């Protein structure tokens, strides 16, 4: 997992001294990577022992190992979002190449960040659930619809409400043997969080797909699937974050679908055949 992402993800769990060390690394990673244990301790007003403990707390055997990983992450961390890459005199060909390159790098970051223990737990809960309820607003609703279409085709009962007020009302009827998946990049969409809270109160297992930085959705869910920070506050649209969420959708879906490939194949063939009958009727 990306060193900087690790630090941000568990920042709230750090002690006061650890937060001082984390602040320096997060704010100036290019400078931090060149500091010795003693130098980082001096600049953070802590101690060399605190620096060593900090490195071990985020999963490294030593401060040196942490610095090596930090150096690898700096280039990806400082990569600008698509909107800031665009220039007014760019041709569509250049823009297309920039978009493709950023999507590729972002998906690699997403894969690096994934906790497959959580992914496997989410897949099992989806398979066991009587009904899967999906929640998402705006760009995240497109992602939720994509998963709904996939699950319905393999005979998994799945509900998603385009009208988020109707979705909130529907959350009242979620049962303990159901599963909820909430898509919210920033994790602060009130309509989604309220629905998750209600589902949790009803006893359902709640899964959150959201940014790795601490946000209001994190403490509400039972299983957290985190996404890398990709979007700025002011942006041309949800570009990279949409791709990261769709990647998670595809991973979850294939995890569910592979359980019984023969049955999955049969469901897919039958749904395809049913849709194809429409094309044979007059007027289509």
């Amino acid at each position: 997992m990306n060193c900087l992402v690790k630090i941000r993800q568990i920042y709230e769990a750090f002690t006061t001294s650890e937060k001082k060390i984390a602040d320096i690394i997060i704010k100036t990673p290019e400078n931090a990577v060149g500091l010795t244990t003693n130098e980082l301790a001096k600049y953070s007003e802590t101690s060399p022992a605190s620096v060593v403990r900090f490195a071990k707390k985020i999963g490294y055997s030593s401060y040196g190992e942490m610095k090596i990983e930090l150096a690898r992450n700096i280039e990806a961390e400082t990569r600008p979002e698509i909107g800031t890459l665009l220039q007014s005199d760019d041709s569509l060909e250049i823009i297309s190449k920039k978009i493709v390159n950023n999507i590729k790098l972002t998906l690699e970051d997403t894969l690096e960040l994934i906790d497959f223990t959580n992914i496997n737990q989410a897949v099992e809960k989806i398979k066991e659930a009587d009904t899967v309820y999906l929640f998402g607003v705006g760009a995240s609703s497109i992602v939720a619809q994509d998963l709904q279409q996939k699950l319905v085709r393999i005979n998994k009962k799945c509900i998603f409400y385009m009208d988020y007020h109707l979705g909130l009302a529907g959350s009242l009827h979620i049962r303990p043997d159901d599963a909820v998946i909430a898509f919210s990049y920033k994790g602060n969409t009130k309509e989604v969080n309220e629905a998750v809270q209600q589902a949790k109160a009803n006893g359902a297992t709640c899964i959150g797909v959201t940014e790795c930085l601490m946000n209001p959705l994190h403490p509400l869910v039972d299983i957290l699937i985190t996404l890398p920070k990709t979007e700025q506050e002011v942006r041309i649209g949800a570009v990279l974050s949409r791709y990261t969420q769709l990647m998670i959708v595809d991973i979850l879906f294939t995890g569910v679908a592979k359980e019984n490939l023969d049955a999955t194949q049969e469901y897919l063939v039958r749904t395809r055949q049913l849709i194809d009958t429409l094309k044979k009727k007059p007027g289509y």
Side-chain angles (χ1 to χ4, degrees), residues 232-246:
Q232 299 177 346
E233 294 301 323
V234 180
R235 57 188 182 175
I236 60 174
V239 180
L240 299 180
S241 61
R242 185 181 74 248
Y243 279 98
T244 61
Q245 292 184 83
L246 286 171

Side-chain angles (χ1 to χ4, degrees), residues 133 135 161 166-175 194-199 202:
Y133 285 83
F135 294 96
Y161 299 98
L166 184 59
L168 185 57
S171 68
L172 284 168
H173 310 295
I174 295 175
R175 300 174 301 174
E194 290 285 344
V196 171
Q197 283 183 302
Q198 182 60 57
N202 293 357

